[in-house]
Amino acid sequence: MNILIFLGGLILLVIGANVLVRGASKLALSFGISPLVVGLTIVAFGTSAPEVAVSVGAVLDGKTDIAIGNVVGSNIFNVLFILGISALIAPLVVNIQLIRQEVPIMIGASLLLLALGLDGRLSFFDGGILFVLLVSYTAFLVVQSRRETQAAKDEYAHEIKPAEAGAWDDRLPAQLLLIGAGLAALVFGSEYLVQASVNFAKAMGVSDLIIGLTIVAAGTSMPEVATSITAAIKGERDIAVGNVVGSNTFNILGCLGLSGLVSGDLGLAMAPSLLAFDIWVMLAVALACLPVFITGREIARWEGGVFLGYYVAYVAYLILAAQQHDALQAFSGVMLGFVVPLTVVTLVVVVIRRPAASSVP
């Protein structure tokens, strides 16, 4: 029954996000907002709507560990699993703007979350800071879009087309109905998903945080999975990378910003294990994007395989730690003493041997 509730909630989240994006996009286009701006804001943020719904819903239910674990786990999942799988399908092209602007912003947001959480709590004021930064970042993207090339504008116009004359959703009532139905599906879906996740945690004897970092994080990232893998298959490989980086930034600024604001005076308590390990993993994953992206401005298949392998290792560590398994110490020793240093040395060698590729304009 819990599995059915979880899957039902997940389906409602995915459907709700798609319906909400469709209605909001059509409404924005009806008011004369350009497809480029719609793509940079409504559509980009729409893929993170499940994370927002689940995190805010978890806070309102008093399950703050799920709220924070969902965001941290989603960011780790997005880079290691989604980019890993996508790169195995086809090497992913990395746009120079991602390297110069979006990835540093993602890293900055990760550092800010770490700094705000060092006192063990994400307060109402901290949530306000994150949300204001999200609004500022969105405004910056809109202003920047005015300087975009005609090719970029044509790409968004091709992907996001105004409703054709006579289409059922070109009228205001239909667009408002889509938005309302999407929001309702997100609310109910998040409620079902959080409740099923809590039941999973109790049945498996693990904490809400572990469930949030793994099952919930993977579940709410399904829109990003679908978008990035589909883009990789179609050859739109820059979209696959941009979708992940943009979603990670929004998860921190938007999901945790709103979660902090609705938490009131109590704020969001951050578990010691989260501060001691998982947030550092999220930051390390964000930092790892720079050298990987710079080497040839692509994510090669072998790099995708490394990403995927590290995600499997991360989940394995969480499971072993939750059960206090005897193999935990040996596993940690192998990862820290052999696998991680070998990966770092390999990346350094690749960067040194391919200096020209990283300087391509």
Side-chain angles (χ1 to χ4, degrees), residues 39-107:
L40 289 170
T41 55
I42 296 172
V43 175
F45 295 163
T47 57
S48 291
E51 282 91 343
V52 174
V54 168
S55 290
V56 172
V59 171
L60 295 177
D61 286 343
K63 307 295 182 182
T64 58
D65 279 347
I66 290 181
I68 300 178
N70 172 41
V71 169
V72 174
S74 290
N75 281 18
I76 296 171
F77 180 87
N78 286 349
V79 173
L80 297 184
F81 184 87
I82 296 179
L83 289 186
I85 289 290
S86 300
L88 287 177
I89 294 173
L92 301 177
V93 175
V94 181
N95 189 289
I96 191 64
Q97 179 175 325
L98 283 173
I99 300 173
R100 292 176 177 174
Q101 176 178 300
E102 308 304 334
V103 172
I105 290 175
M106 177 181 69
I107 293 172

Side-chain angles (χ1 to χ4, degrees), residues 30 42 74 122 129 140 150 160 165 169 186 237 244 256 264-265 275:
S30 297
I42 296 172
S74 290
L122 195 69
I129 292 176
F140 168 74
Q150 188 60 42
I160 308 168
D169 59 355
L186 287 172
R237 297 175 292 171
V244 164
L256 289 184
D265 296 335
L275 291 170

Side-chain angles (χ1 to χ4, degrees), residues 8-341:
L10 182 58
I11 291 171
L12 281 175
L13 285 174
V14 174
I15 293 175
N18 288 332
V19 171
L20 177 63
V21 167
R22 181 180 179 89
S25 299
K26 296 292 185 180
L27 181 63
L29 292 170
S30 297
F31 280 95
I33 299 176
S34 73
L36 179 61
V37 174
V38 172
L40 289 170
T41 55
I42 296 172
V43 175
F45 295 163
T47 57
S48 291
E51 282 91 343
V52 174
V54 168
S55 290
V56 172
V59 171
L60 295 177
D61 286 343
K63 307 295 182 182
T64 58
D65 279 347
I66 290 181
I68 300 178
N70 172 41
V71 169
V72 174
S74 290
N75 281 18
I76 296 171
F77 180 87
N78 286 349
V79 173
L80 297 184
F81 184 87
I82 296 179
L83 289 186
I85 289 290
S86 300
L88 287 177
I89 294 173
L92 301 177
V93 175
V94 181
N95 189 289
I96 191 64
Q97 179 175 325
L98 283 173
I99 300 173
R100 292 176 177 174
Q101 176 178 300
E102 308 304 334
V103 172
I105 290 175
M106 177 181 69
I107 293 172
S110 302
L111 285 169
L112 177 60
L113 177 60
L114 176 63
L116 293 176
L118 287 177
D119 60 355
R121 184 170 299 276
L122 195 69
S123 67
F124 174 87
F125 180 72
D126 295 336
I129 292 176
L130 294 175
F131 190 73
V132 167
L133 287 175
L134 173 68
V135 174
S136 302
Y137 175 57
T138 303
F140 168 74
L141 288 178
V142 172
V143 172
Q144 187 183 54
S145 71
R146 297 176 181 175
R147 302 193 300 270
E148 289 289 346
T149 62
Q150 188 60 42
K153 295 179 181 180
D154 292 342
E155 178 182 345
Y156 277 100
H158 174 73
E159 295 293 330
I160 308 168
K161 296 179 180 178
E164 298 178 1
W168 71 273
D169 59 355
D170 65 348
R171 296 178 176 85
L172 181 61
Q175 295 160 357
L176 294 177
L177 179 62
L178 285 172
I179 293 173
L183 288 173
L186 287 172
V187 170
F188 285 109
S190 66
E191 179 67 27
Y192 293 151
L193 195 72
V194 169
Q195 185 56 52
S197 301
V198 172
N199 293 337
F200 279 141
K202 292 178 180 178
M204 298 171 64
V206 298
S207 67
D208 290 347
L209 178 61
I210 299 297
I211 295 297
L213 287 166
T214 53
I215 298 176
V216 177
T220 55
S221 291
M222 284 301 108
E224 286 92 337
V225 173
T227 300
S228 293
I229 291 180
T230 301
I233 293 174
K234 290 182 176 180
E236 299 167 342
R237 297 175 292 171
D238 55 336
I239 295 178
V241 181
N243 172 56
V244 164
V245 174
S247 292
N248 279 13
T249 300
F250 181 82
N251 283 347
I252 295 175
L253 301 182
C255 295
L256 289 184
L258 285 171
S259 298
L261 289 175
V262 302
S263 66
D265 296 335
L266 294 177
L268 304 178
M270 303 185 73
S273 60
L274 190 78
L275 291 170
F277 180 68
D278 300 290
I279 285 187
W280 290 99
V281 173
M282 182 188 73
L283 178 59
V285 166
L287 289 169
C289 286
L290 276 180
V292 172
F293 288 8
I294 288 174
T295 53
R297 282 176 50 193
E298 73 169 12
I299 306 175
R301 281 193 171 92
W302 74 267
E303 290 169 327
V306 170
F307 274 6
L308 193 58
Y310 268 111
Y311 185 73
V312 173
Y314 170 68
V315 174
Y317 175 86
L318 291 181
I319 294 173
L320 292 174
Q323 297 178 346
Q324 292 297 306
H325 198 281
D326 294 339
L328 177 62
Q329 186 173 357
F331 179 83
S332 301
V334 170
M335 291 299 298
L336 295 176
F338 178 71
V339 177
V340 173

